Amino acid sequence: MKKNGEPIRRELLEMDLLDKSVRISAQREFLYLPLTEGQHEDILKELPGEFELREYEFEEQKGQLKLENILDEVPHIEVIGDIALIEDDVAEPERVADAIMKVKKNVRTVLAALGPVEGEFRTRRFRTIAGEDRTSTVHTEYGCRYYTDMERAYFTPRLATERSRILAQVSEGQTVVDMFAGVGPYSIMIAKKSPDIRVIAIDKNPDAVDFLRRNIELNSISNVEAIEGDANQEAVRFASTADHVIMNLPHNAHEFLDAAIKLCAPGAIIHYYDITPGDDLFDSSLNLIRKSASRAGRTIQLTGSRVVRSYAPRQFNVCIEVKVS
C-alpha cells in the first residue's frame, strides 16, 4: 500500500535490497518497490507495514550512465563496500578504474588483484588503481555491516543470496556452528535474526577473528561466540550441540567432516560447500559425508543439493545439505 511505501523504501535502502537501476512505480493505491535479486522472504519479515511480493515489470532509470556507455568491453567487477575489485590483467586498468568511479558513485577506491586467492587463510594481494590507497572497507548486506580488509581476510559479496537462503532454515532456539566464519557474514546475519539463536563462529585466521569481533560490536549483537582456532580441535568442545553446521571452505571442507559430524545433535543439518567438476557435481562429495557419518556410527539423509555459482571453466561451487541422525 502507498501509505506504507516510504518507511519500507527506507528500510530496503538501508538493507541494500532496493534495486536502484530501475524506477519505483505506482498504480492506484499500490506502490511497487524493485528488489535486488535473491531470496529475501525471511529478511522482509522484519519490515514495517503491510506488503506482498509480486512479479512486476519495472522501467529502467532514464539517463543513468552505465559502464557499457564508456567501455568497449566491461570486465568482471566486484564491489565490496566502497571498494571495487578488478583483475590485474584487465586491459587499460586506469581507464577502467576511471569509468567505474564515474558510474558507481559509492566507490572511492579501485583495486586490481595481483594474483588468485591463496594460502591457508585464502587472501589476495592488490594494488591501488584509483582513489584512496587502502584495502579495508565496511560492506553492507541485508542490513548487516561487515568491516574487512581484503588483504588480511577473505570476503565475497557473491554469496549474499546463499547466506540469505541458509538464514531462512534457522529457527529460534537453535545452535549454529560456523566452522570457517571469516569476518562473520553467515554468523552475524543468522544471529541478528533472533537473540534466541546461539552462534558459535570459528576461524583460524587471527585477523579474520579480530574483524569478526569488531563486526559483532558493529551490528550490536551478543549471541555470537567468536573463537580463534582450528575447527577440527574446537569441535570437541561443542560435540552434539549444533542444529546447523556451516562448512563454507569449498576446497578443504572434506578435511573437517569428521569434526562436523561430531558437532551434530540428532537431526542437525550440515551445509557442506565444495568445488566440483560438471560431470560429478554432488555424488563424490555426498559419499565423503556418508563415510564420515558411518565412521561415527551415524547416518545421513540428503535434504538438498544445488549449484551456488560457476567457479571456473567446468568447475562449480556447490552446496550439499544433509540431515544427520
Side-chain angles (χ1 to χ4, degrees), residues 44-61:
L44 295 176
K45 291 176 183 176
E46 306 301 320
L47 292 178
E50 298 178 11
F51 64 91
E52 62 181 83
L53 295 176
R54 290 187 182 181
E55 295 272 343
Y56 191 82
E57 191 76 26
F58 290 95
E59 294 181 17
E60 286 192 7
Q61 291 280 13

Side-chain angles (χ1 to χ4, degrees), residues 7-250:
I8 291 178
R9 186 196 68 81
R10 288 198 301 267
E11 290 284 342
L12 291 173
L13 200 59
E14 172 65 24
M15 292 191 290
D16 204 27
L17 296 184
L18 191 69
D19 184 350
K20 291 172 279 190
S21 69
V22 294
R23 299 179 61 186
I24 293 172
S25 180
Q27 288 187 5
R28 297 190 179 93
E29 72 271 27
F30 294 105
L31 188 69
Y32 293 88
L33 300 170
L35 300 179
T36 57
E37 292 185 8
Q39 300 179 15
H40 306 316
E41 289 84 351
D42 207 67
I43 298 289
L44 295 176
K45 291 176 183 176
E46 306 301 320
L47 292 178
E50 298 178 11
F51 64 91
E52 62 181 83
L53 295 176
R54 290 187 182 181
E55 295 272 343
Y56 191 82
E57 191 76 26
F58 290 95
E59 294 181 17
E60 286 192 7
Q61 291 280 13
K62 293 181 180 178
Q64 187 175 37
L65 187 63
K66 297 181 180 180
L67 286 173
E68 48 265 38
N69 300 141
I70 305 174
L71 302 172
D72 297 328
E73 184 176 347
V74 178
H76 172 74
I77 300 163
E78 187 169 280
V79 178
I80 299 176
D82 59 0
I83 296 178
L85 308 179
I86 61 176
E87 298 299 321
D88 196 45
D89 60 0
V90 166
E92 299 183 280
E94 287 77 15
R95 181 168 175 262
V96 170
D98 182 63
I100 291 171
M101 296 192 76
K102 284 179 179 177
V103 172
K104 299 182 180 296
K105 300 301 184 181
N106 63 315
V107 170
R108 303 186 66 171
T109 298
V110 180
L111 301 177
L114 296 177
V117 174
E118 58 188 4
E120 184 179 17
F121 299 150
R122 303 180 66 206
T123 54
R124 305 179 81 176
R125 294 179 300 110
F126 299 92
R127 68 183 180 97
T128 303
I129 305 298
E132 300 172 8
D133 186 15
R134 58 181 166 86
T135 55
S136 62
T137 188
V138 175
H139 182 79
T140 301
E141 180 180 294
Y142 290 116
C144 301
R145 293 183 293 167
Y146 306 107
Y147 174 87
T148 189
D149 186 319
M150 268 75 73
E151 287 198 328
R152 297 166 63 190
Y154 179 79
F155 179 87
T156 177
R158 286 178 288 176
L159 294 178
T161 299
E162 181 64 14
R163 292 190 273 266
S164 173
R165 189 184 68 82
I166 300 298
L167 172 71
Q169 299 182 43
V170 180
S171 303
E172 289 192 22
Q174 292 190 324
T175 296
V176 177
V177 178
D178 189 355
M179 295 182 75
F180 320 106
V183 304
Y186 280 92
S187 294
I188 286 170
M189 182 185 286
I190 290 169
K192 284 194 78 170
K193 181 175 183 177
S194 169
D196 293 328
I197 296 171
R198 181 192 183 194
V199 180
I200 299 162
I202 306 167
D203 204 280
K204 200 173 183 180
N205 179 353
D207 286 331
V209 177
D210 283 346
F211 301 153
L212 169 61
R213 289 175 177 144
R214 178 170 175 170
N215 292 334
I216 290 169
E217 294 184 6
L218 190 62
N219 290 277
S220 302
I221 53 178
S222 58
N223 51 329
V224 176
E225 182 177 351
I227 299 170
E228 180 188 334
D230 187 301
N232 274 329
Q233 298 172 11
E234 297 298 332
V236 177
R237 297 170 50 194
F238 303 102
S240 303
T241 64
D243 298 294
H244 293 269
V245 178
I246 300 171
M247 303 187 70
N248 184 28
L249 191 68

